[in-house]
Amino acid sequence: FFFFNDTATTEIYTEQIVGSVRCVQETGINAEYMGITKKSEKMVSVPKLRKTYCIKCRKHTQHKVTQYKKGQESKACQGRRRYDRKQSGFGGQTKPIFKKKAKTTKKVTLKIECQVCKTKRMLMIGRCKTFILGEAKGKIKKGEVFF
C-alpha cells in the first residue's frame, strides 16, 4: 500500500484496492491468474503411466511417472566446505538459521521416463495439499497427505 501525508487519502486508496480484490474474487474470472485465490488447496492424482511427448523420440510415447526426491547432499561441495570452515572454532553459529516457515505445502515435481528410449525429464506440477501417485481420486480419505 501507498501511504500519503493525510490519513483520509490513505484510507480511500486502501479501500479502492481492497474493493477491486474483492470484486475479482467474487467473479472468479481471472482470480487464479492474478494469484488471489489459493490454488494449493487441491488434491492431485497422477497415474503411474502416462502418454506424453518424448523429446528424443520426437513423438508421443508411454512414460513411467515417479515423484522426484532430492538426493543426499555431497560433503565435498563448495558451499558445504565453506560453511564447515566458517563454523569451525569458537564463536557459535555464524550464519542465520531460518525459523519463520510460512508455506504449508511443497512444490511437487514429477520425474518422467520414456519407456522406449529411457530418456528422463522433470515436470513441475506446483503446490498441492495432497498428492497421490497411481490412485483414483475417490479412494483417498479426507485429510491424508502423501509427500
Side-chain angles (χ1 to χ4, degrees):
F1 297 115
F2 293 98
F3 293 99
F4 300 98
N5 291 337
D6 57 341
T7 55
T9 313
T10 305
E11 289 174 7
I12 291 168
Y13 190 74
T14 305
E15 186 58 40
Q16 286 176 347
I17 291 173
V18 170
S20 63
V21 168
R22 197 177 300 120
C23 184
V24 170
Q25 283 178 334
E26 287 170 5
T27 57
I29 297 167
N30 286 329
E32 284 189 15
Y33 175 73
M34 294 181 74
I36 294 168
T37 58
K38 293 181 180 178
K39 293 191 280 184
S40 63
E41 294 185 14
K42 61 185 176 181
M43 180 180 80
V44 179
S45 179
V46 179
K48 288 186 178 178
L49 286 174
R50 174 181 185 169
K51 193 167 187 178
T52 187
Y53 185 75
C54 177
I55 298 166
K56 197 171 178 183
C57 298
R58 298 178 72 178
K59 61 181 179 179
H60 278 73
T61 56
Q62 199 74 288
H63 283 69
K64 188 174 92 174
V65 180
T66 54
Q67 188 177 356
Y68 168 75
K69 299 282 186 187
K70 190 176 135 182
Q72 191 174 7
E73 186 184 317
S74 173
K75 300 284 183 189
C77 62
Q78 180 61 52
R80 172 53 58 188
R81 293 198 312 266
R82 185 181 294 121
Y83 180 74
D84 290 342
R85 177 82 176 137
K86 193 170 186 181
Q87 283 291 99
S88 65
F90 297 108
Q93 183 66 34
T94 57
K95 296 190 74 71
I97 297 174
F98 185 70
K99 291 180 181 174
K100 295 180 182 179
K101 187 176 178 225
K103 302 283 189 268
T104 57
T105 58
K106 290 183 181 269
K107 288 184 179 178
V108 178
T109 305
L110 301 178
K111 186 168 76 172
I112 56 176
E113 179 185 350
C114 178
Q115 297 286 334
V116 179
C117 64
K118 304 295 183 200
T119 302
K120 297 176 186 77
R121 68 183 173 105
M122 302 297 181
L123 183 68
M124 209 263 300
I125 60 170
R127 296 185 183 278
C128 60
K129 293 255 183 205
T130 309
F131 176 73
I132 307 152
L133 187 63
E135 287 265 341
K137 282 189 178 181
K139 292 184 180 178
I140 185 168
K141 294 175 190 169
K142 193 172 184 179
E144 282 187 281
V145 179
F146 297 97
F147 281 114

